[in-house]
Amino acid sequence: QVQLVESGGGLVQAGGSLRLSCAASGNIFSINAMGWFRQAPGKQRELVASITSGSSTTYTDSVKGRFTISRDNAKNTMYLQMNSLKPEDTAVYYCNADVTNVARARTNYWGQGTQVTVSS
């Protein structure tokens, strides 16, 4: 089994910054693609940013130029630096990882989510 633990959420004023972390632990041989998703009240969960094992990145249009996704493969940890935050960024942010375990089986995992609230 693999656990993904997010941290770094909180309450911030518009224009402020937060840095989210997602630490993976457990039965891990390698971590393939990772991503940050978010879900606002009454809305569907959406992909915010993703990063491959080789650190290629993608972003949804609404966060381009403001958010930066990164990862530290040695620590099995992914980050999301969020700058110039807007009230519309308010959501629960979830970490997602595609993991290969030591038996070479591949499974997708989710974290428990961390709340980000941006006040105007």
Side-chain angles (χ1 to χ4, degrees):
Q1 189 66 301
V2 172
Q3 296 77 43
L4 302 180
V5 178
E6 298 114 331
S7 60
L11 173 65
V12 65
Q13 288 189 332
S17 298
L18 285 173
R19 188 192 195 209
L20 304 183
S21 297
C22 171
S25 62
N27 184 358
I28 298 171
F29 174 74
S30 65
I31 302 179
N32 310 304
M34 302 182 79
W36 289 100
F37 289 73
R38 66 186 179 188
Q39 187 166 19
K43 294 188 177 182
Q44 289 189 333
R45 190 173 297 190
E46 65 168 345
L47 176 63
V48 176
S50 66
I51 186 166
T52 66
S53 57
S55 294
S56 294
T57 60
T58 63
Y59 298 91
T60 193
D61 285 346
S62 62
V63 308
K64 286 180 180 176
R66 300 188 298 122
F67 291 9
T68 302
I69 189 172
S70 61
R71 62 191 287 174
D72 184 334
N73 291 329
K75 296 181 178 179
N76 288 335
T77 300
M78 174 179 64
Y79 307 96
L80 186 67
Q81 178 67 43
M82 305 186 294
N83 298 328
S84 302
L85 282 161
K86 303 176 181 180
E88 51 263 44
D89 295 317
T90 295
V92 178
Y93 283 70
Y94 297 92
C95 168
N96 179 271
D98 179 43
V99 178
T100 299
N101 66 21
V102 295
R104 304 304 190 267
R106 201 160 167 170
T107 308
N108 190 264
Y109 293 93
W110 290 93
Q112 81 286 355
T114 185
Q115 177 71 46
V116 171
T117 303
V118 184
S119 63
S120 57

